Amino acid sequence: MRKGVMRPGHVQLRVLNIQDALAHYRDLLGLIEVETDALGRVYLKGWTEVDKFSVVLRESDTPGMDFMAFKVLNEATLDRLHQDLLGYGVAVEDIPAGELNGCGRRLRFVAPTGHQFELFAEKEQPGRYGVGNHNPEAWPRDLTGMKAQRFDHCLLYGDDLDGTFALFKDVLGFDLCEQVLTPDGERVAQFLTVSMKSHDVAFIKHAEKNKFHHASFFLETWEDVLRAGDLISMTDTAIDIGPTRHGITHGQTIYFFDPSGNRNEVFCGGDSFYPDHAPITWDADKLGKAIFYHDRQLNERFLTALT
Amino acid sequence: MRKGVMRPGHVQLRVLNIQDALAHYRDLLGLIEVETDALGRVYLKGWTEVDKFSVVLRESDTPGMDFMAFKVLNEATLDRLHQDLLGYGVAVEDIPAGELNGCGRRLRFVAPTGHQFELFAEKEQPGRYGVGNHNPEAWPRDLTGMKAQRFDHCLLYGDDLDGTFALFKDVLGFDLCEQVLTPDGERVAQFLTVSMKSHDVAFIKHAEKNKFHHASFFLETWEDVLRAGDLISMTDTAIDIGPTRHGITHGQTIYFFDPSGNRNEVFCGGDSFYPDHAPITWDADKLGKAIFYHDRQLNERFLTALT
Amino acid sequence: MRKGVMRPGHVQLRVLNIQDALAHYRDLLGLIEVETDALGRVYLKGWTEVDKFSVVLRESDTPGMDFMAFKVLNEATLDRLHQDLLGYGVAVEDIPAGELNGCGRRLRFVAPTGHQFELFAEKEQPGRYGVGNHNPEAWPRDLTGMKAQRFDHCLLYGDDLDGTFALFKDVLGFDLCEQVLTPDGERVAQFLTVSMKSHDVAFIKHAEKNKFHHASFFLETWEDVLRAGDLISMTDTAIDIGPTRHGITHGQTIYFFDPSGNRNEVFCGGDSFYPDHAPITWDADKLGKAIFYHDRQLNERFLTALT
Amino acid sequence: MRKGVMRPGHVQLRVLNIQDALAHYRDLLGLIEVETDALGRVYLKGWTEVDKFSVVLRESDTPGMDFMAFKVLNEATLDRLHQDLLGYGVAVEDIPAGELNGCGRRLRFVAPTGHQFELFAEKEQPGRYGVGNHNPEAWPRDLTGMKAQRFDHCLLYGDDLDGTFALFKDVLGFDLCEQVLTPDGERVAQFLTVSMKSHDVAFIKHAEKNKFHHASFFLETWEDVLRAGDLISMTDTAIDIGPTRHGITHGQTIYFFDPSGNRNEVFCGGDSFYPDHAPITWDADKLGKAIFYHDRQLNERFLTALT
C-alpha cells in the first residue's frame, strides 16, 4: 500500500444470461446477492467483505471482463492518483458517483495490456454479511454453495506486460511478488500485489490485448476446495482443473467455468508478501509446475480458453 | 466377517530395483521398514498396523503383484476355509509357516480372474509402530513422507469378474459394496468388502487375466492427501491423477507410480459398509464420474497402465 | 461381528420437551427428522445411515436413556441370540414388530450395569438420506447444523462392569478394544466394539446402576468438530469440553448438553480395531490424559453430570 | 502500512535456561535455529519468514519480554519515524547496527503501557527456509514439531491503553482492528494492526505496566493446531487452553507455556483487515466469548499468568 491503493474493489463481468449467471455466482459460489440496478446489472459480494458489493454481472452477447477496480484509502488519495496517472501519460475517464449503486466516483483507465481498470475511494460499507461489527459470530449460518469469502484477484492475458507492470508499480504502488522468466529474461507472467496477498492482480503474456483468464474467490480451507469440487460435479458445472496446488503462490485451487464460459477460481492458502520481499522467480521451463504444482504440466485450456 | 476373514494382511509386489523401491515405499509413502529376508525381500508396514508387516517387495524383471493375502480369525477358521475352498473346487497350495518371516502357514489359491490370493491366521504382532498398547500417544513423532497408515486394498484387473465374486462371496464371506453395471446388466467393476471399509479388494473387467492396477494405502485426512501430492512433486515421482474424490466409495485420493511402474494410491475417507447394506450401483455411462468424481471422465492411463 | 451383532441400531432418549429436543437434535446436530409416532416419539437419523432411524426422542419428566439397541445380521441370528441370552441366564422381553415404527421385533434385556439393551434384525431401509444407492453424489446439499453422519455409540456409567463385559463378550461377540485399569487390576472403564470402530458401546465404573453419560454422533472431519463448536456457541448451547482429542480411541471430539441435560458428543477419527487386536490399556493414574488428551485432567462434570 | 511500518520483526524473550528454551522453541514449536551470538542469545525464525531471525532468546533470572520490534520500509522511513517519535515527545534510544547479529540499527522507545518497542529497517534476508526464491517447493521436508510458520504478534498487559493506542495510531500508523469496551466506554482490550492481519500487537488493560501475556506463532491449518495440541501432550508441556477458537479475530488457537513460564500461542486463520474497516467492538460482558469462543468464559490463568 505504498501509494494508498488498498485492494481489489470489484470486477464487472459480462454474462450471456443474467439468471443463469446469478444461479452460478450466488447458488454455486455462494456469493451474497445484493441488488439489481436500473441497467439490470446484478451486484454480489463475498460474505466477509465489508463493502456493499465486489462482483457486478452485466448481460451481454459476449462474455469477458468489463473492468476491474481497486479501492484506495480516501478521496485525497484518489485525487493524487488522478494527477499521477495523468502525469504518467495515462488517459483517465471520470465515472460519476452512483453509476454503480452505492459506489463513489471512479477513475477509469486502460492499462498497456488493454484491460480497463478503475480506482475509487468510497463505497457503502454495510459490514460483513450476517455477522456485523458488534460481538460478531464466527460465520453466518445461512451461507450456501462454496461459501466464497471474497473476490480476491483476476488473472488477465495481454501483450505489454512490461508496460502494465511499470504503471502498476510506479503509479499505483504495486509490488512484483512472483514472476516467470524465459531463459533470455523475458517476463511472461507477473503476479502483482498491493497487500500481504501473493497477488491482487496477475498477468500472463499473450498476443492479444484485453483477454480475461479468470476471476478468483477466496475460500477458507482446503476442505472447502474439496467441497467446491463436489459442488461443481453435483451441479454439472464445467470443470477446468483441480483440486490441486499452484506452484506460484502455493495456493490450493480449483478452476471451473461459469455458464457463459468465463473461468472462475476458488482457492485457499497462498504465501504472504511484504514490500521488502524479493520477487520469487520461476523458470519458464518450469511453467507447468509453477501453475499446477502436482501435475507439473499445463492443460491446453489454461493457455487458450479466454474470454 | 461372515466367514472369519478379517482384513487384507499383506501384498507382495515385484519391483525392478529393490533400493529404488525401498526409497519410494519407505521414504515417500512413509511405510515403516521392518526387515529384509534371506531371499532379499523387504518387509514394510503402515504405522497403525499391529501385525509385523503388510507389504513385501521382491526384486524381479517385471513389475506387478505376486499375491495378496487376507488374515483370518484363527487357525480353526483357516482349516475350515481350506476345506471350503477345496469343496468349491479351488486348488489350494500350502505355504509353510516362516516362508515369509514372522508369518504363519498360508493357503494360496488362484481366483478366476487369474490373481493369486492367500489366507493366513498367524503373524507376529508387535503392535502399532511407535505407540504400542499401553497409554499410547496419538502418533509417533518420527514418521516421514506421506505417513501412510495402513495397506488398505488392491484394485485388480481381470476377465472373470463373476467367478471371482462368487468365490469371494460364497467361500470367503465378502460382500458386494459397490458395482458398475452396463445397460445390459453386466458387472464391469466390483468393490468387495469383508469389513466396514467400502472395499478390501476390487476388480475391474479386463480382457487379460491377472493384471494389477494399484495397491492403496490409507491416510488420515484430505490435508494428508494434499501433502502427498506435494511430496510426489518434490520427489519428481510420476503422478497419475489427483488430488480428487472418487464417486465410488467417495474417498479422497491421489494416484502415482512407484519407480517400477506399479501404481499406488493414497487416500482418506470413504463410505462405511455393513453386511445388510444394499450394493451401490453406478451406471457404466457414469464410469468417469464413478472413478473421478470431479473430472467426470477417465484418463486413458486408468484403463491401460497396468502391471 | 463374531456372533452376528452388526452395529448400534438406535437409542431412545428421554427429553423434557420434545420441541426443544427436536430443535437441538435436528437443527443443531443436523440429524434428519423422520417422523413422529402415535405415542409422540420423534424419530431421527444421521444422513449416512441406511436404516429408517437411529435416534428416538421420548418426552418425559426425567432425562436419560431408555434403551440402546443393536442390529443383528438376520432373523435367524436373532433367534440364536435369544436362546443364547436365555441360556446365559438373562431375562429377555419380546417387543413386537411395529412398537417402533418401521422396526421389526426386538429382544430387550437388562445388562448387569442396569442398562436396557435391545437386539433386532429388521428395520425399514430407505438408504442414505438424499443420495441413495444409484450413482450417489458425495453428500446431500440440504444438510444443516453439525451434519452429524450417524449415531455412533453410547458411554454408560454403572457398577458391574465385569458382568456386562462378560455378557457382551460371551453372548454378543463384542471385543474389548480399550480399558482403564487401576494398579490392582480393576477395570474401571471398558470400550467395547463389534466392528472396526474403537467403540460401539463403552462403560465407566460408577456406584449407581443405569446412568447415561453421553450419546455420540460421528462427524467427518476435525474441521466439522470446529464448526460444531462454533454452532454450540452461536446457539448458546451448554458446552462441556472441547474441541479436543481423546487419548482412548484418539478420536477428536466436543461434548455438550441437550436442553434436557443429556450429554452429547460429536467426534471424528478414532483408531481402527480388528478382533485379533490386543486391548489397549490405560493406567488409572493416566485417566485424565486417556479421556482428554490435551488437558490431561478430567473436569468434574465428566464424572458427575449424568442422566 | 500508513506510515511505513510493515510488520513485527522480532521479539526478545527472557528464559531461565537457554537449552530448555531452545528445545521448546526449536524442537516443539519447530522454529529454525539460526545462530547464537557472542552474548549467548539464540536466534530463531519461522520457516516462511524471509529475514534472518524473528525470535531472540536471552537467558535471565526472570522470564518475560525484553522488547518487540517492527520492521519499517527503509532507512528513510526509519529516519522520519525517529523524528516523529521525538516530535511526539517519546524518548528514543539508538541501538547500533550489529547489536543483534545481522540486524541494522534499531530505535528503541517505551510505550505508555511500559513495554519496550523497537523499529528497524534492515536485516539480513536469506529468504524462506529450505525453499528460497527460485522455483520454490511448497514447503521444506525437514521441518519438525509444530512447524510454526512465523512469529505473528504479541499480546501485552499494561495500564495506559489509550496512551499506547494513540502513539501506535498517530506516529506508527497502526489501526484499531478490534476492541473490548466496558458499558461506560472504556477500552479494556485493543487489537492493533499495520497490515491485513487482525493483529500485529494487542494490549489488555492491567494495573501493572510492562507485563507479557504471550508471543504468538502462525500455523497453516486447524489440523496443525490439533497436532500442536498432540505435541504439547506428548512432550508434557504445560497447556493453558485449547484447541479452540477466539471470538476476537476468529482465529483458531492453542495456548501453552515455555519452560520458563512464558505463554505461547500457536494459531491459524483470523479475519482480514484493511484500513477502511470500522473496528469490531466486543462488549466487556462478552469478554469470555470474545477470548474463548467455544467455552464463553475465561479461565483464571488468562488474566493472571503473566511474565
Side-chain angles (χ1 to χ4, degrees), chain B residues 44-213:
Chain B
L44 306 102
K45 63 179 276 187
W47 75 267
T48 70
E49 297 181 289
V50 300
D51 288 339
K52 178 174 180 171
F53 65 87
S54 60
V55 173
V56 180
L57 304 176
R58 180 173 74 86
E59 201 168 79
S60 167
D61 290 339
T62 57
M65 181 184 86
D66 280 339
F67 51 80
M68 178 185 178
F70 297 96
K71 193 176 190 187
V72 307
L73 264 176
N74 48 41
E75 289 291 328
T77 302
L78 194 62
D79 283 334
R80 182 178 47 70
L81 290 167
H82 195 167
Q83 293 311 311
D84 292 349
L85 283 167
L86 295 175
Y88 198 80
V90 176
V92 177
E93 179 185 2
D94 269 287
I95 315 284
E99 195 278 335
L100 283 169
N101 286 1
C103 186
R105 67 189 176 101
R106 292 129 64 203
L107 305 180
R108 185 180 293 173
F109 60 94
V110 178
T113 44
H115 302 91
Q116 289 196 96
F117 291 100
E118 299 181 347
L119 304 177
F120 69 97
E122 300 290 343
K123 194 180 280 182
E124 285 177 26
Q125 197 167 82
R128 291 192 176 90
Y129 170 79
V131 296
N133 287 330
H134 187 213
N135 303 328
E137 300 292 354
W139 35 273
R141 290 191 64 179
D142 60 348
L143 299 174
T144 57
M146 298 179 184
K147 305 180 184 183
Q149 297 206 330
R150 66 167 182 253
F151 164 55
D152 190 87
H153 67 268
C154 287
L155 173 58
L156 306 172
Y157 276 42
D159 53 353
D160 186 1
L161 260 58
D162 289 340
T164 289
F165 174 46
L167 171 63
F168 272 74
K169 177 172 180 292
D170 296 341
V171 180
L172 303 178
F174 281 68
D175 287 295
L176 178 64
C177 181
E178 304 209 25
Q179 60 182 340
V180 180
L181 294 185
T182 64
D184 54 0
E186 189 193 10
R187 196 182 320 104
V188 292
Q190 57 197 20
F191 290 69
L192 308 183
T193 178
V194 74
S195 67
M196 284 183 68
K197 292 161 51 189
S198 42
H199 45 355
D200 286 310
V201 65
F203 299 88
I204 285 185
K205 185 84 175 183
H206 187 70
E208 275 178 294
K209 280 188 189 300
N210 192 24
K211 302 306 288 184
F212 174 75
H213 188 271

Side-chain angles (χ1 to χ4, degrees), chain A residues 7 71 128 137 276 293, chain D residues 71 128 137 272 276 293:
Chain A
R7 66 171 173 271
K71 193 176 189 186
R128 291 191 177 91
E137 301 290 356
D276 63 332
Y293 186 64
Chain D
K71 192 175 190 188
R128 291 191 177 89
E137 300 290 356
S272 291
D276 63 333
Y293 186 64

Side-chain angles (χ1 to χ4, degrees), chain C residues 216-253:
Chain C
S216 182
F217 300 88
F218 191 72
L219 304 184
E220 192 171 355
T221 68
W222 172 235
E223 189 165 316
D224 289 331
V225 175
L226 172 68
R227 294 190 183 284
D230 295 341
L231 288 163
I232 286 168
S233 193
M234 289 177 196
T235 55
D236 280 325
T237 298
I239 194 172
D240 186 7
I241 198 166
T244 188
R245 186 196 284 276
H246 290 304
I248 296 174
T249 79
H250 296 124
Q252 298 119 60
T253 179

Side-chain angles (χ1 to χ4, degrees), chain D residues 20 28 34 83 93 96 128 159 178 192 202 208 216 232 240 277 301:
Chain D
D20 293 348
L28 179 59
V34 177
Q83 293 311 310
E93 180 185 3
R128 291 191 177 89
D159 53 353
E178 303 209 26
L192 308 183
E208 276 177 294
S216 181
I232 287 168
D240 186 6
H277 283 25
R301 274 193 305 267

Side-chain angles (χ1 to χ4, degrees), chain A residues 214-236:
Chain A
H214 72 261
S216 182
F217 300 88
F218 191 72
L219 303 185
E220 192 172 354
T221 68
W222 173 235
E223 189 166 315
D224 289 332
V225 176
L226 171 67
R227 294 190 183 283
D230 295 340
L231 288 162
I232 286 167
S233 193
M234 289 178 197
T235 55
D236 280 325

Side-chain angles (χ1 to χ4, degrees), chain B residues 1-2 6-7 50-51 71 73 125 128 133-139 150 195-197 220 245 250 252 271-272 274-283 286 289 293, chain C residues 1-2 6-7 50-51 71 73 125 128 133-139 150 195-197 220 245 250 252 271-272 274-283 286 289 293:
Chain B
M1 210 184 63
R2 297 173 189 270
M6 287 194 296
R7 66 170 173 272
V50 300
D51 288 339
K71 193 176 190 187
L73 264 176
Q125 197 167 82
R128 291 192 176 90
N133 287 330
H134 187 213
N135 303 328
E137 300 292 354
W139 35 273
R150 66 167 182 253
S195 67
M196 284 183 68
K197 292 161 51 189
E220 191 172 355
R245 186 197 283 278
H250 296 124
Q252 297 117 61
D271 300 327
S272 291
Y274 284 102
D276 62 334
H277 284 25
I280 291 166
T281 300
W282 292 82
D283 298 329
K286 295 283 194 306
K289 186 171 181 177
Y293 187 65
Chain C
M1 208 184 64
R2 298 173 188 269
M6 287 193 296
R7 65 170 172 272
V50 300
D51 287 339
K71 193 176 189 186
L73 264 176
Q125 198 168 80
R128 291 193 177 89
N133 287 331
H134 187 213
N135 302 329
E137 301 290 356
W139 36 271
R150 66 167 182 253
S195 68
M196 283 184 70
K197 292 160 51 188
E220 192 171 355
R245 186 196 284 276
H250 296 124
Q252 298 119 60
D271 300 327
S272 291
Y274 284 101
D276 63 333
H277 285 25
I280 291 166
T281 300
W282 292 82
D283 299 328
K286 294 284 194 306
K289 186 172 181 177
Y293 186 64

Side-chain angles (χ1 to χ4, degrees), chain D residues 37 39 41 43 67 95-101 103 106 108:
Chain D
D37 72 13
L39 302 178
R41 293 179 299 188
Y43 298 55
F67 51 80
I95 315 284
E99 196 277 335
L100 283 168
N101 287 1
C103 185
R106 291 129 64 203
R108 184 180 293 172

